[in-house]
Amino acid sequence: MKKIKNIGIVLLVMMVLSSTSCSDNFLDEELTTKYSTEYFDSPKGLEELAVSLYGNIRWHYGFEWAYGVTLYGTDEFTTGNDLTNEMWNTYDNRFGPNGATVGTGAINGNATSPAALWDEMYYGIASANTIIAKAETVITDVRVRNRVLAHAYFMRGYNYYRLTAQYGGVVLQTTPVTTVVRNFVRSSEEDSWKQVISDLRNAYTLFEGEVYTYGKGITWTKATAAHFLAKALLFRSSERNDAWNSSYKDADIKEAIDVCSYAISARGSLTPNYSDLYANWTGIDCPNEQLSEILMAAGHNGDAATVGRFGNRTYNYFAPQFSAFSGSWVRRGVWIGSMDFQRCRPTEYSYAVYDHVNDARMWKTFKTVYGINTLQTSNPNGLKLGDPGIVMILNTKNDNTYNGYTFGCAATQFPNWKDDAKRLPEWTIGARQTPTSGALTTKVGQFSPNSLVLYQNGVYVAPNFKSTTFCNFFAGINKTDDGSRNAERGDAHRDVIMARLAETYLLRAECYVRLGQYGPAMNDLNVVRSRGQWKAGENRSYYVDGSVAFVNNALNTGTNATNYINSNLNMNTYYLSNPGVAVTTAASNLLLTSFPNSLPTEDEVILAKIGATTNYDRALNFILNERTRELLGEWDRWETLSRTGTLVKRTIAYNPEAKFITVGKHELRPIPQAFIDGLLNDDGTNLTAEQKKAWQNPNY
């Protein structure tokens, strides 16, 4: 425990974001800044402050930190050709407590500082503290009081969860501050988790079941609190905290199972079609945003008051740079649901972890085909608008079909495709795919100016398709695509899912594994895997993503409408990627029959590479694999690997760019140096070098 003074650092109370608490959706409220803090001495004021807490979570998806602090530097994602947050992935000497600026070696001013999360979370905490301190005396209606307290405890618990997961022990401020804060204490990681768990337990107790009070399906409920309470309990009992957590483990795991079971029973079954969670997003506030599987989301809509500094920018980060490497055959625009900022490139692991034949989630997640929307002057192959302009074949390591083929980008590829034997099977152009019909023909002769394959001769060759230093030609994921944008670089309008019931099943499965109860764990895993199977009647070559929202976009007129039709072909490369599979609409089977022995082949390969041999290690790492298959790109991979003590091993195995990741250092983020430098001793003197070192995480 380190008690120090600080001059000039104040914990601010968030501005009230709304003028009333009875709207159907908190994002419909007008931004109101006219109230003083005295307004919070009234029941209405406190209830409106509780509504405003929903605004704090939107910060997480408003800029480059969305992926930097959650996805980079793991087994799932590495850098594309844009290196804005490269240091978060490589862990080189630019990643440290001094931030990430051009002066410290960042490539541009958009890089994420380790201080970003540290600074922002305390805004929501300050608002929660105000509610918790005042509610008992200000609000006499017990139901209303419990409602606002539930929101306040949840917000404080969630924000401290995020801080503790990233930094370890943090400053625990649990009472309102109205003047300059002069004394800070950095609590231990153990005490920080105690606070997180206490707050989330209080929220779980106070929420009125699945009663929606301040919004629609995105509203926090008892099931939301249960989910994050389980995550916090599991975090405290996981490997990162083994130095001190032995006395908590059994009780924490059993409690986590109990609260997971509440959420699962309260919310019912998973939504039947995985595509409905992300791919079938048809526009602002569409029904798919209200699915009962969604436990928490950062809400966005078309209201002008909700755009701006923390608008949804996530559609920028997962697509390859298709407008550049395609030789301008595929031009970007609002008609394609993503921007090609090439931030997050999937690793070899993120493709190989799937059963490419039987796991529908792979083909409902990866975008593998772009249509030609701009014809070029040089067109020796007679390409037409709407022909496939970019084709990404996601084959497996043991596939030899494409060993003699030449793949690449338009600028260099034309001379290599004169031999019909080395052209791709062709699509039936003009007959668009539907969810239940349409497939590739078997005729050879289709030419595509840009094509990629994952493996040739058993070697992973996808990183070879480069423009400069890093790969900018890869299959991105579609979970953030948004065709409702009003401008090419405008804010997205779709909600960002932060928690859903499938993860709750995976959390409970992990708890069972930690108790050595592999049968119940397998049952929970099979619930998730069952939804991931192909259903009878599904067209496996059909593809859709949030670009489809453009159908209802006011911009969908004239040339824009034509570009939408030509760019989004509703097809994937399932049959090209699995050349031995005949066209079929039969159901597939992903169900486990033995656990943790005799696991699927793709898992056995991964477990062998990372050296997981004991039943426990096999089971835990299988769940980490299953989390990828189910939750790829859903903003918590770094946290999960850090928690389970697998971050370094799995990252070294599958992320070649993470060259400097170090055991005993990078499982925690650095405490911001600017914060430490602002601290003073009780007598007003500056901290010594040793005192500052004591505040910092190890080896920074």
Side-chain angles (χ1 to χ4, degrees):
M1 305 283 281
K2 305 170 184 65
K3 184 177 181 182
I4 5 240
K5 290 184 175 182
N6 184 278
I7 299 294
I9 298 179
V10 183
L11 297 178
L12 301 178
V13 178
M14 285 182 65
M15 290 295 186
V16 179
L17 293 179
S18 60
S19 58
T20 177
S21 62
C22 57
S23 170
D24 286 339
N25 191 324
F26 73 93
L27 286 173
D28 293 333
E29 313 290 352
E30 295 179 358
L31 178 65
T32 304
T33 58
K34 64 183 179 182
Y35 301 123
S36 71
T37 55
E38 292 178 357
Y39 184 58
F40 303 141
D41 291 325
S42 69
K44 185 179 180 182
L46 277 191
E47 193 164 9
E48 289 184 344
L49 187 57
V51 176
S52 79
L53 297 176
Y54 285 92
N56 186 238
I57 63 175
R58 296 172 71 244
W59 172 88
H60 295 284
Y61 309 105
F63 206 55
E64 307 275 351
W65 49 70
Y67 67 89
V69 303
T70 60
L71 302 178
Y72 262 8
T74 68
D75 53 358
E76 288 185 348
F77 289 100
T78 185
T79 48
N81 204 43
D82 183 278
L83 304 180
T84 292
N85 271 325
E86 182 188 21
M87 69 289 294
W88 287 82
N89 187 58
T90 60
Y91 298 96
D92 61 40
N93 58 12
R94 295 172 297 168
F95 182 73
N98 288 317
T101 65
V102 174
T104 61
I107 197 169
N108 58 47
N110 293 329
T112 298
S113 168
L117 186 76
W118 179 276
D119 292 343
E120 193 65 29
M121 291 301 91
Y122 284 105
Y123 284 92
I125 289 168
S127 293
N129 286 342
T130 297
I131 293 170
I132 293 167
K134 292 177 177 288
E136 194 69 35
T137 56
V138 170
I139 303 176
T140 57
D141 185 315
V142 174
R143 189 179 182 190
V144 174
R145 181 170 69 232
N146 287 348
R147 181 183 302 159
V148 299
L149 281 172
H151 280 75
Y153 278 119
F154 178 77
M155 178 85 275
R156 192 169 74 181
Y158 175 79
N159 280 14
Y160 274 129
Y161 175 94
R162 293 297 306 270
L163 287 168
T164 308
Q166 291 275 328
Y167 300 100
V170 296
V171 175
L172 295 177
Q173 180 66 48
T174 58
T175 57
V177 177
T178 57
T179 60
V180 174
V181 178
R182 300 189 62 86
N183 291 290
F184 280 130
V185 174
R186 184 182 179 189
S187 298
S188 66
E189 189 159 8
E190 180 177 4
D191 286 343
S192 296
W193 283 119
K194 282 182 180 178
Q195 183 64 52
V196 171
I197 291 167
S198 174
D199 283 344
L200 293 175
R201 278 177 180 154
N202 284 334
Y204 178 70
T205 300
L206 289 166
F207 272 122
E208 307 167 70
E210 302 313 290
V211 177
Y212 299 102
T213 53
Y214 292 133
K216 300 178 183 177
I218 57 175
T219 304
W220 308 333
T221 68
K222 192 178 187 74
T224 314
H227 179 90
F228 282 97
L229 175 55
K231 292 189 77 166
L233 290 161
L234 190 53
F235 210 126
R236 181 165 70 175
S237 58
S238 291
E239 284 76 2
R240 194 176 91 179
N241 298 321
D242 274 351
W244 53 264
N245 66 9
S246 59
S247 64
Y248 299 102
K249 285 189 176 184
D250 287 347
D252 280 0
I253 294 300
K254 291 173 183 176
E255 184 181 358
I257 290 173
D258 288 343
V259 294
C260 282
S261 298
Y262 168 78
I264 289 168
S265 63
R267 287 300 181 95
S269 59
L270 304 183
T271 188
N273 186 356
Y274 188 78
S275 288
D276 286 344
L277 290 164
Y278 299 101
N280 289 329
W281 188 79
T282 57
I284 299 171
D285 293 336
C286 66
N288 288 3
E289 291 193 342
Q290 313 306 325
L291 295 170
S292 62
E293 180 174 341
I294 301 173
L295 300 174
M296 183 179 180
H300 297 268
N301 60 30
D303 191 328
T306 70
V307 301
R309 186 180 179 204
F310 297 142
N312 182 355
R313 309 298 295 176
T314 58
Y315 68 92
N316 289 304
Y317 303 134
F318 294 103
Q321 198 180 29
F322 56 83
S323 62
F325 67 69
S326 71
S328 298
W329 291 90
V330 181
R331 184 166 55 92
R332 69 187 183 193
V334 288
W335 50 85
I336 297 179
S338 58
M339 278 289 285
D340 53 351
F341 282 11
Q342 50 176 337
R343 301 297 201 263
C344 296
R345 172 166 57 99
T347 62
E348 179 184 9
Y349 159 82
S350 288
Y351 303 121
V353 73
Y354 291 92
D355 178 333
H356 288 217
V357 174
N358 297 305
D359 200 327
R361 292 172 296 186
M362 179 175 192
W363 302 101
K364 294 177 179 181
T365 297
F366 286 102
K367 185 178 180 76
T368 57
V369 178
Y370 295 77
I372 292 174
N373 57 37
T374 307
L375 293 177
Q376 300 304 302
T377 302
S378 176
N379 186 8
N381 290 273
L383 295 170
K384 302 181 296 296
L385 293 173
D387 282 356
I390 299 172
V391 175
M392 302 176 182
I393 299 174
L394 308 185
N395 64 335
T396 57
K397 188 172 185 177
N398 60 358
D399 173 44
N400 295 310
T401 304
Y402 302 104
N403 287 355
Y405 283 52
T406 300
F407 294 89
C409 302
T412 59
Q413 190 174 332
F414 284 129
N416 301 316
W417 283 80
K418 295 178 181 179
D419 180 1
D420 281 351
K422 293 184 180 180
R423 295 191 181 195
L424 304 177
E426 85 174 322
W427 279 267
T428 304
I429 303 301
R432 298 180 72 83
Q433 308 283 292
T434 74
T436 57
S437 67
L440 297 174
T441 71
T442 57
K443 178 182 176 182
V444 173
Q446 181 69 46
F447 174 80
S448 174
N450 305 275
S451 56
L452 168 148
V453 66
L454 294 183
Y455 292 95
Q456 287 183 316
N457 300 303
V459 177
Y460 184 60
V461 296
N464 295 340
F465 303 116
K466 301 175 181 179
S467 64
T468 55
T469 305
F470 291 88
C471 184
N472 71 346
F473 190 5
F474 54 84
I477 67 172
N478 65 12
K479 293 182 176 181
T480 61
D481 284 7
D482 183 350
S484 76
R485 306 191 318 277
N486 296 325
E488 184 177 86
R489 300 194 184 197
D491 285 342
H493 299 128
R494 65 184 297 172
D495 295 347
V496 182
I497 297 175
M498 302 175 73
R500 53 187 180 87
L501 203 60
E503 186 190 15
T504 315
Y505 274 103
L506 296 175
L507 293 172
R508 191 169 72 172
E510 184 180 336
C511 289
Y512 284 132
V513 164
R514 291 179 181 276
L515 294 177
Q517 299 176 16
Y518 295 116
M522 186 176 74
N523 291 339
D524 280 348
L525 289 165
N526 276 341
V527 171
V528 177
R529 289 175 67 82
S530 177
R531 196 260 300 277
Q533 300 168 163
W534 292 108
K535 307 301 186 294
E538 282 192 296
N539 173 18
R540 299 187 185 188
S541 65
Y542 175 73
Y543 171 85
V544 68
D545 60 39
S547 301
V548 73
F550 195 69
V551 172
N552 300 314
N553 191 325
L555 298 178
N556 185 21
T557 59
T559 303
N560 283 337
T562 302
N563 283 333
Y564 168 74
I565 293 170
N566 290 332
S567 303
N568 300 281
L569 303 184
N570 295 128
M571 58 178 64
N572 62 39
T573 61
Y574 176 86
Y575 291 108
L576 291 178
S577 303
N578 298 296
V581 176
V583 174
T584 179
T585 57
S588 64
N589 184 5
L590 290 178
L591 298 185
L592 302 172
T593 58
S594 177
F595 183 73
N597 299 309
S598 302
L599 296 174
T601 301
E602 57 272 11
D603 290 283
E604 292 290 2
V605 171
I606 292 166
L607 298 183
K609 184 166 184 174
I610 62 177
T613 57
T614 67
N615 280 347
Y616 173 77
D617 283 344
R618 285 171 58 82
L620 177 64
N621 280 281
F622 178 87
I623 289 174
L624 294 176
N625 293 350
E626 193 64 36
R627 288 183 67 91
T628 295
R629 291 183 280 256
E630 181 68 26
L631 305 170
L632 181 66
E634 295 186 34
W635 319 110
D636 73 346
R637 189 61 173 182
W638 184 91
E639 164 197 307
T640 300
L641 297 187
S642 175
R643 170 177 68 79
T644 55
T646 59
L647 174 67
V648 177
K649 178 178 288 188
R650 291 182 69 108
T651 301
I652 288 175
Y654 287 106
N655 189 337
E657 281 76 46
K659 296 178 181 178
F660 301 99
I661 190 170
T662 303
V663 173
K665 177 178 182 180
H666 292 125
E667 296 89 346
L668 295 174
R669 306 302 198 187
I671 305 297
Q673 193 63 42
F675 172 83
I676 296 175
D677 288 343
L679 298 170
L680 297 177
N681 292 306
D682 287 340
D683 61 2
T685 60
N686 294 322
L687 271 62
T688 65
E690 283 302 310
Q691 287 176 310
K692 290 183 179 182
K693 183 178 179 180
W695 260 85
Q696 189 53 265
N697 279 326
N699 300 311
Y700 282 104

